[in-house]
Each structure stands twice: as C-alpha cells, then as structure tokens.
C-alpha cells in the first residue's frame, strides 16, 4: 500500500515508510541496511503520543546521520520539543522543524546527492507528505512511480 517503503521522489531521494512501532522500525532498518547501505540517512520522524517513541528511535537512530523531528498540520503527533529531547538521548544530530512542508522544502533545497531522506513514524505523517508532494505544493521534486 502507499506509504510502505515507497519512494516519493528520486531527486532528491525520499522514501516514506509508515512504520509506527518497534517491529515496523526493525523491518525498515533491515531494508535500509540491505538496499541503501551507501546512503547517509536523514530520518524525518513524527509519531503519535500513544506509541513507543523511545523504542522506535532506539532501532533507527544508530543508522541515521541526522534526525529531524516534525509534526503534521493537524498537530496529531507527539510534541516536537518533547520528541527532540527523546531523540537527543540516542543521537547527537537532532533538529526540530514543526512544519512538515518546511522540512520537505529544505530537503528539496539541499538536494544532498549522498543522502536518503526517510519519512517515518506515523501513517499520518506519511499521508500528509504524500498529499503535499502529489498536490505539487512542493515544486521541483522529481516524482517516482510516474505520479505528478
């Protein structure tokens, strides 16, 4: 289904995975280690308050070069500042950008050739990213899979 190990953009390279629990994080990590071991991972994460954010990060943080904590427009995810503090316990390179649209614009603007941006932690987060990219609100992304 959409949002499960889905390439959203090829330029810059952006992958979405709706993993939202520790088991899903393990599957995502295995995939990343097997299929994109040469890429630096920029983990873009937001998660619902009822999920095990610490456990989720414990699985994925070791393979990330950096982590950006974000939020959906409906504010349904964990408070980004609280999430930042949790992420900083397991990773040294953590930033907060509470607006997902800004995060995606920054990824596009930077276009790091050696980096893979991975949106994960919530189907709500992935769904909003899909909506933003599919609608063309973030101009310049080269879509994957023939989507506009």
């Amino acid at each position: 289904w959409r949002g499960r190990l889905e390439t959203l953009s090829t330029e810059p390279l952006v992958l979405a995975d709706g993993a939202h629990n520790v088991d899903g994080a393990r599957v995502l990590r295995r995939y990343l280690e097997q299929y994109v071991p040469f890429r630096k991972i920029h983990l873009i994460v937001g998660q619902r308050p009822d999920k095990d954010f610490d456990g989720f990060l414990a699985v994925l943080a070791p393979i990330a070069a950096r982590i950006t904590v974000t939020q959906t427009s409906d504010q349904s995810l964990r408070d980004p500042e609280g999430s930042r503090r949790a992420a900083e316990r397991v990773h040294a390179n953590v930033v907060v950008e509470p607006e997902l649209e800004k995060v995606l614009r920054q990824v596009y603007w930077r276009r790091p050739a050696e980096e893979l941006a991975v949106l994960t932690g919530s189907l709500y987060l992935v769904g909003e990213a899909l909506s933003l990219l599919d609608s063309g609100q973030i101009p310049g992304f080269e879509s994957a899979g023939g989507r506009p």
Side-chain angles (χ1 to χ4, degrees), residues 69 78-88 95-98:
V69 179
R78 289 171 52 110
D79 169 60
E81 282 301 320
S83 295
R84 176 190 55 79
R85 289 188 293 279
E88 286 177 337
V95 297
V96 170
E97 174 46 69

Side-chain angles (χ1 to χ4, degrees), residues 59-137:
V59 173
L60 292 174
I63 64 166
R66 62 195 185 106
I67 297 173
T68 299
V69 179
T70 192
Q71 176 63 272
T72 51
S73 59
D74 68 359
Q75 306 291 304
S76 64
L77 304 181
R78 289 171 52 110
D79 169 60
E81 282 301 320
S83 295
R84 176 190 55 79
R85 289 188 293 279
E88 286 177 337
R89 288 193 291 271
V90 294
H91 203 282
N93 190 3
V94 178
V95 297
V96 170
E97 174 46 69
E99 294 181 41
L100 179 58
E101 184 173 345
K102 283 185 181 178
V103 173
L104 293 173
R105 287 182 188 280
Q106 290 168 1
V107 168
Y108 171 72
W109 179 76
R110 288 182 61 245
R111 288 186 180 259
E114 74 288 348
E115 189 174 274
L116 168 64
V118 179
L119 287 126
T120 191
S122 166
L123 290 169
Y124 296 91
L125 178 74
V126 169
E128 187 165 314
L130 287 166
S131 178
L132 286 165
L133 294 178
D134 287 351
S135 72
Q137 291 182 49

Side-chain angles (χ1 to χ4, degrees), residues 30-79:
R30 280 193 302 271
Y31 175 85
L32 294 171
E33 289 175 331
Q34 183 173 356
Y35 294 107
V36 288
F38 55 91
R39 295 274 183 171
K40 292 181 182 174
I41 305 296
H42 174 194
L43 195 63
I44 301 167
V45 65
Q47 199 167 51
R48 305 255 320 161
D50 60 333
K51 303 298 180 182
D52 178 8
F53 192 62
D54 291 333
F56 187 83
L57 285 178
V59 173
L60 292 174
I63 64 166
R66 62 195 185 106
I67 297 173
T68 299
V69 179
T70 192
Q71 176 63 272
T72 51
S73 59
D74 68 359
Q75 306 291 304
S76 64
L77 304 181
R78 289 171 52 110
D79 169 60

